[in-house]
Amino acid sequence: MNNYEYIIACLPVLGEGRLSEGCASCIEGIREQLDERDRKTLDFVLGCYAPEGANGDFYTAALASRNAFIREYFRFDLNVRNTKTEFLNSALERPEGTDLVILEGNDGEFDEKAEVDAILSQKDILARERGLDDIMWKKAEELTVLHVFDFDVILAFVVRLKIIERWELLDEQTGREMFRKLVEELRNNR
């Protein structure tokens, strides 16, 4: 059995060096402390971030997951991606529905569609990407607001680490600030 309390309480604070190395190291440290079943679940989540990982097969499996965090977070992620694809289709004058991932089990209702459309309408591409990542970060927080020491908190931490890792590649200072924010949030929730 996993000791989630210990894992969450011991999440490392990144020291000197590049965040991307720290993120990968942090994820591996978490992974080593999980049992086989939870490792497979973590690896499934990380699979979304691999090249070609966020495809129809991934989302079909995510929407059918027994884990509520995975089901809801990746339903949200799919809706954000589809909204982004719809926006690009319109901007590039491509036929409606091109490259959308449509799955059974995804009811198509997306309360944040207007917010995502507003983010996508910004002229500054970095502001757009930051806005989309902020909305994903916020969703991970919302899905774990009533959780303290369970596996969903760990999964939410990992998806936020992946956002930080992405920004470290784009902008090191922003990545560091996001990591500090994540660590502070965890400390405040203990």
Side-chain angles (χ1 to χ4, degrees), residues 4-21:
Y4 300 134
E5 296 89 350
Y6 177 78
I7 295 170
I8 293 166
C10 293
L11 288 172
V13 176
L14 190 63
E16 295 298 315
R18 295 193 51 84
L19 257 177
S20 59
E21 295 168 5

Side-chain angles (χ1 to χ4, degrees), residues 1-13 25-36 38-39 42 148-158 161 183 186-187 190:
M1 183 170 166
N2 290 310
N3 186 348
Y4 300 134
E5 296 89 350
Y6 177 78
I7 295 170
I8 293 166
C10 293
L11 288 172
V13 176
S25 176
C26 185
I27 291 170
E28 187 54 34
I30 291 168
R31 191 178 184 288
E32 289 172 358
Q33 296 178 67
L34 298 173
D35 66 22
E36 187 61 30
D38 286 344
R39 273 190 217 123
L42 178 61
V148 179
F149 290 115
D150 65 15
F151 191 45
D152 287 355
V153 172
I154 294 169
L155 293 176
F157 182 83
V158 169
L161 273 177
V183 170
L186 280 173
R187 287 193 174 139
R190 288 188 186 163

Side-chain angles (χ1 to χ4, degrees), residues 55-120:
N55 59 32
D57 291 339
F58 172 82
Y59 287 110
T60 297
L63 295 180
S65 176
R66 293 184 336 168
N67 179 285
F69 177 83
I70 291 173
R71 219 175 29 254
E72 294 309 313
Y73 183 80
F74 287 107
R75 177 184 320 277
F76 185 80
D77 181 72
L78 175 61
N79 286 328
V80 168
R81 287 176 190 260
N82 278 341
T83 301
K84 187 176 182 180
T85 301
E86 289 171 347
F87 179 85
L88 291 173
N89 285 344
S90 175
L92 299 173
E93 298 179 358
R94 295 173 66 197
E96 258 186 57
T98 303
D99 296 329
L100 293 179
V101 178
I102 308 295
L103 301 174
E104 282 186 42
N106 191 26
D107 57 18
E109 292 203 21
F110 184 41
D111 295 336
E112 293 87 351
K113 185 172 182 17
E115 183 178 359
V116 173
D117 281 335
I119 291 167
L120 292 169

